[in-house]
Amino acid sequence: MTFKYDHKKIETKWQKYWLTKNVFAAVDKSAKPKYYCLIEFPYPSGDGLHVGHLRSYTALDILARKRRMQGYNVMYPIGFDAFGLPSENYAIKTGIHPQTTTENNIKIFTRQLQAMGFSFDWQRAVTTTDPKYYKWTQWIFLKMYEKGLAYKAKIPINWCLSCKIGLANEEVVNGRCERCGGPVEKRQKEQWLFKITDYADRLLEDLDSVDYLERIKIQQQNWIGRSEGAEVNFQVIANGAKQFHKEEDKIASSAVPPRNDNLTVFTTRPDTLFGATFMVIAPEHPLILNLKNQISNLKEVEKYIAVAKKKSDLERTEVNKEKTGLELKGLMAINPVNNKEIPVFVADYVLISYGTGAIMAVPAHDQRDFEFAKKYGQPVTQVIEPTNGSGKKIDLKTEAYEEVNEGVMINSGRFNGLSVGKCINEITAWLAKRGVGRPAVNYKLRDWIFSRQRYWGEPIPIIYCRKCWEAKTQNSKSSAKGGPQPEADAPLVHASSGKSQSQEGVDYVLINGQEYAIIPLPENYLPLELPKVKSYEPTDSGESPLAAIADFVNTRCPFCGGQAIRETDTMPNWAGSNWYFLRYADPDNNKALADKKNLAYFLPVDWYNGGMEHTTLHLLYSRFIYKFLWDLGAVPESCGPEPYQKRTSHGMVLGSGGEKMSKSRGNVVNPDQVVAELGADTLRCYEMFMGPFDQAIPWDTKGVIGVRRFLEKVWQTFQSLISQKLSVVKGEKLMPLLHRTIKKVSADIESQDYNTAISALMIFINQAAADGLDKKTGETFLKILSPFAPHLVEELWQQLGHKRSIIQEPWPEFDEALAQNKEIELVIQINGRVKDKMIVPADINEQRAEKLALDRPKVLSQLAGKQIKNVIFIPGRLINFVV
RNA sequence: GCCGCUGUGGUGAAAUUGGUAUACACGCAGCACUCAAAAUGCUGUGAGCGCAAGCUCGUGUCGGUUCGAGUCCGACCAGCGGCACCA
């Protein structure tokens, strides 16, 4: 294809102009209303910019440019989320410091982004690996610790065998590492956690106040997974003590009763309590350890637990896996509603990480319990009967009856005859009154594991001091509780009871069997910079490469001056991206993460676009951190409780075969190449034209040509106008189309229907190329084209004799009256089928239309010999004869 | 299994929300320009029947509501995405 305009010359010219005149800078103190457009800042990978990035950046660039023309002080910032594994792995292979790699990649990304003509405010660019930036990431950590929301605990973590790194629950996909796809196993490890579960309710409720795509809201809701129900206490007795569970029996006996315990379960179906015929606890449940002397088949039980523990997440979650379990012989539980003794099982289908790690099994009304009961010969007691005439069937030979919305209670003592819904409330109240239960809420959301055993991340600003611990325990020796020694298999922390190992207000950790006080680094010690290392290789023992650097690890305690040890874990790569959008408001501040006046002006983000894959990771995390900073007062109250007013998501750009783009498939499209061959304007428009913005679309190399042809046509039409070669039509003819185009393009940018916006622009230029164009109409058209193809438009705008950049022009208003055509094509239908069309005045009335229609020979021949029963007239559209 | 989304030409897809199905673009075919090709321009392009005017069918399948259904209702089928033994 030979070109009529030189995209290289034009695009570099205007990119230089924008950059040197700094036209896209957001103004800190402006009388104008602000508008904050945000895209997810990229990780500067060695592969360079991906065409998928461009989809998101182009979309919001179009919005940013339109908002500027609408009179807003727009902030459209960019930065780099530069901590992360690829640079570190590259360092392991090559010995090149991640810092060096990062700097080089940022240069490449910067060049690529500028070559696209995005209207970023480059002066606000932030980089998460810059100590001046991560000083504040560390500061946030200290504040989290200060407020009791960061704690250290020994927990089973998801350990990726190939990355040699601990993963957050959110980073494990189908039992595999989200990053490398490798297998993940459970390991016990001391980790830093953030108590995101404290914010679960607010993260859920506040979704009502924001404008997110519905599917994003739903995904967040499901991830938080709130469910309401009740906690119920079951007393557990050992067989030897069986006869003592009534007070009078106990007194009558002289024998020492064996140890009893309580087993608390969480259930969403307290109505089915009378149908609970056995209990099941998770293999990790502490009850087993506590009552191990009472379990007569302990050997077998321990064997079962050992097998269960060895199973990876992948095996444990395998679909349709047959349930396994084992009865804890010697133990019985007492159902608090009817005092029936029921057996207790251990089984790995019960998860320690949800609820209380124990369940009451109701085989008649829960399919999982039903399967388990069938296999292990447990009784099935029906307590709900479908109402007569409801059409619901119950067949307890084949499956459980799980219907909640329908049915009445039976076999349930005083609750018989109640509806299921009513019973849930009443039985919960009854349990609470008797002190054996209470209403309870549970979440699927887990606390957020915030430690990584890696080099290339923010160091955690914590040190451990033995001397401070000794001083503290000596002071409080009189009250002498002594640190409870956590056992090797300590009860696991779960969401509802996550706690640090805290004692007397001083948190401690165990290092080589000795207690050390946890000392948060004082603020004036920040930033705690990453030291240089010789080897980036992570260790199999699971320690960060930082642990091998004596100069870093060994330090002095800032409080007592004694020998102290540094935390060597680093933060996950989400740490820097949690709050970067706040920093843009004031990127160079050294006294605070951002000045409050600037935050009050720019926040919240008005429109945030990013990938669906970040819905349960970055989006949820950053909402949490924002809420925390807002509670803290670091973000002004006037900014509101939510960081992002609006959140949308773009569809992935796939390879031409419809498969994901990847190096191994060899179907990666390099944006540099497209920019070089066809220009940035073409690439921008194609990214928007290729299909609906929120859907995944395959790249079509041939399709790009069509967009370039469109821009060529624009160029040529305006060249004719400029040289007056084109027949100049005095406005009128194009006017209705122009105003319809303004209307369509304006609305489509707001609803992200960029593909139809471009189609409308194409229709206009096709018409203009055929009919001719006057200067005023042409200029209006350039304004609405400018967000899509800014370089080309600036050039034409200048050639038309304008001194000022088109970005200073106001966005065109459309006039509904002018958008109307004077004449329309009226469709004539017979029995709803199109038979003829006629050109009529737009405001034609029914009588006139009917008369005209009945004059037409085609209509007459179709109606011959038939009787018109009814006439339906839709003004401006059609007339339909019913015969 | 649960939640969500999507099924329209050879292809990417439009359709003012119940009113001309296939806009816009790619591809393909024919013609023009050319020694030739590329590029460009014009014309055609859902399927079937017909020399033709025209007729019939047609938006995953089956059924319903309506003067009129891609759009609304009911029952299915297929594909994609998320969650998944969550008590």
Side-chain angles (χ1 to χ4, degrees), chain A residues 150-388:
Chain A
Y151 63 96
K152 207 172 192 196
K154 187 164 200 164
I155 53 154
I157 60 154
N158 309 297
W159 183 259
C160 172
L161 292 163
S162 67
C163 295
K164 293 176 182 170
I165 191 172
L167 302 171
N169 293 313
E170 285 83 343
E171 292 169 310
V172 182
V173 178
N174 291 332
R176 292 185 170 271
C177 172
E178 183 215 31
R179 203 163 286 285
C180 71
V184 171
E185 69 169 34
K186 291 272 181 214
R187 278 198 185 178
Q188 291 284 332
K189 225 175 167 340
E190 285 231 326
Q191 299 280 309
W192 283 98
L193 289 105
F194 277 1
K195 252 192 220 179
I196 191 172
T197 49
D198 273 14
Y199 279 71
D201 263 329
R202 285 167 65 190
L203 287 168
L204 194 63
E205 281 163 19
D206 290 350
L207 284 175
D208 289 341
S209 69
V210 289
D211 177 17
Y212 289 6
L213 284 185
E214 204 51 36
R215 62 192 168 125
I216 295 175
K217 281 192 186 181
I218 289 167
Q219 223 170 291
Q220 289 222 349
Q221 282 159 3
N222 291 345
W223 191 263
I224 295 166
R226 182 181 202 271
S227 49
E228 279 180 32
E231 277 185 0
V232 187
N233 298 336
F234 286 67
Q235 201 193 2
V236 175
I237 54 165
N239 267 348
K242 222 175 178 179
Q243 61 273 36
F244 305 137
H245 74 260
K246 283 184 187 154
E247 278 307 308
E248 54 267 41
D249 291 345
K250 250 188 221 174
I251 294 156
S253 165
S254 58
V256 181
R259 188 174 164 186
N260 287 1
D261 218 324
N262 255 330
L263 192 52
T264 303
V265 301
F266 172 75
T267 177
T268 54
R269 297 293 305 277
D271 54 304
T272 61
L273 256 166
F274 284 88
T277 53
F278 58 101
M279 312 283 292
V280 190
I281 64 176
E284 300 89 343
H285 200 285
L287 184 93
I288 297 169
L289 217 60
N290 291 346
L291 295 184
K292 63 180 173 191
N293 296 332
Q294 271 74 21
I295 300 171
S296 58
N297 58 342
L298 188 65
K299 280 260 148 60
E300 250 184 296
V301 170
E302 281 175 341
K303 216 171 122 194
Y304 178 81
I305 292 170
V307 172
K309 270 191 186 166
K310 261 194 219 148
K311 286 185 193 169
S312 67
D313 267 19
L314 202 59
E315 290 167 305
R316 272 186 75 157
T317 56
E318 229 174 305
V319 208
N320 293 335
K321 194 193 66 175
E322 196 175 320
K323 292 177 180 36
T324 62
L326 190 64
E327 185 175 351
L328 300 175
K329 297 235 166 86
L331 298 184
M332 290 301 255
I334 300 168
N335 189 335
V337 296
N338 55 13
N339 285 333
K340 274 200 183 135
E341 285 176 17
I342 55 176
V344 183
F345 284 79
V346 57
D348 66 3
Y349 82 92
V350 173
L351 309 174
I352 190 66
S353 54
Y354 185 78
T356 62
I359 61 156
M360 61 176 202
V362 186
H365 305 290
D366 182 287
Q367 189 58 26
R368 294 158 303 176
D369 299 343
F370 180 84
E371 284 162 25
F372 194 84
K374 284 279 166 209
K375 184 167 173 187
Y376 293 97
Q378 294 303 307
V380 178
T381 306
Q382 183 186 352
V383 293
I384 297 166
E385 179 102 302
T387 326
N388 278 340

